[in-house]
Amino acid sequence: MAEIEFFQLTDVGCVRVENEDAVGYWPHDDGLLFAVADGLGGEAAGEVASSLALEVLGREMERAPGTWPVTKRLRRAVQQANLEIHTKAITVPDLRRMGTTLTASAVVGGTLVAAHVGDCRLVRLRDGALTQLTKDHSWVGEQVQYGLLSPEAARTHPRRHVLNRCLGRDLIVGIDVLSTDVRPGDVLAQLSDGVHALVPETEIAEILRAYPPEAACQTLVRRGREAGGDDNLSVQVAAILDCPAPSPRRWWRLGR
Ligand code: MG
């Protein structure tokens, strides 16, 4: 059983009228599942896409056979979310071209399994050092990975909002799934681009080092707003207080 202190916050920001981000969490017997989605599309379509992604994720994780490993459950749940958003996007005129990013992390005992599509970020603070565990599926993110653009230039680049992958756009989507160990003392955080584009990584690390989850979420959102808050801002912070050593057997246990 993992002992986790968790908090999440989503904020409309200073410029946008609607909050198209969505956050959700589902505690289970062995730990916690938490997810952030950043919707896109005209009018209210982005909001529909991001909340539908979380709804399908929670439902499918609950429904999946208990014998499936968490990696398979997460991948299938995200595939299903993509399918349902895509179907709505091509059949409901008002929701045409809607899509969403989705980053979901499941802490199960001493293991973290994450599924990721888009440009929200999952980061981990361990022994004081911050590591980004997900890759940004954005045009600028790819340029940075190829060494063609510096991370600083990417933050203000005019194409910074262009996504290479999102849920809902195509029938099939490439989903990154990662699994790694978690240790007591680790802090996991998920941030929408409205936060990580405006708050420098060194400052995110400082805030996660200095504050427990609730104060860290409030501080990160406040810093994003002070830096302009031109997008919706979402943060989730999970501090791992205690967890068992990772064991493959635990992968089969989630919520039942
Ligand atoms: Mg955003």
Side-chain angles (χ1 to χ4, degrees), residues 47-105:
E47 246 177 293
V48 174
S50 58
S51 55
L52 184 57
L54 294 197
E55 186 194 314
V56 176
L57 175 75
R59 187 190 72 208
E60 293 298 312
M61 288 299 280
E62 185 69 41
R63 262 191 199 168
T67 50
W68 284 10
V70 179
T71 44
K72 182 172 175 180
R73 288 189 194 200
L74 258 185
R75 189 183 288 279
R76 295 290 283 270
V78 177
Q79 274 170 350
Q80 184 62 28
N82 179 60
L83 190 66
E84 293 191 24
I85 295 162
H86 181 68
T87 306
K88 264 203 170 150
I90 59 173
T91 52
V92 182
D94 285 350
L95 302 178
R96 209 155 29 118
R97 284 198 287 276
M98 73 170 172
T100 184
T101 74
L102 178 64
T103 303
S105 288

Side-chain angles (χ1 to χ4, degrees), residues 21 38 192-194 231-232:
D21 283 2
D38 180 348
S192 68
D193 67 328
D231 194 2
N232 307 138

